[in-house]
């Protein structure tokens, strides 16, 4: 799956956020979105943006 890009909806909070961060930890790129833009920005802060080669895009 490392050559693919995952799309995670509802990734600003709870399960969606956990999935997005886990994908990044596993080196998988992810596109994230949520109805709450502030929650998406929180998901992308600090170490969340790049973890072990996986990048989260908003």
């Amino acid at each position: 799956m490392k050559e693919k890009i995952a799309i995670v909806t509802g990734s600003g909070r709870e399960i969606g956020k956990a999935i997005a961060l886990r994908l990044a930890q596993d080196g998988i790129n992810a596109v994230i979105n949520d109805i709450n833009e502030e929650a998406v920005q929180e998901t992308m802060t600090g170490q969340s943006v790049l973890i072990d080669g996986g990048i989260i895009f908003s």
Side-chain angles (χ1 to χ4, degrees):
M1 183 129 172
K2 294 197 184 234
E3 297 176 11
K4 308 262 184 198
I5 297 175
I7 299 172
V8 184
T9 60
S11 53
R13 293 179 282 147
E14 301 168 6
I15 295 172
K17 181 176 182 175
I19 291 170
L21 294 176
R22 180 55 193 251
L23 289 169
Q25 287 174 348
D26 290 346
I28 298 167
N29 296 327
V31 175
I32 64 173
N33 79 339
D34 194 282
I35 196 166
N36 183 338
E37 181 65 27
E38 289 179 20
V40 170
Q41 293 303 318
E42 288 178 18
T43 300
M44 294 185 59
T45 59
Q47 72 275 8
S48 301
V49 177
L50 176 60
I51 306 171
D52 294 334
I55 301 172
I56 298 177
F57 302 94
S58 171

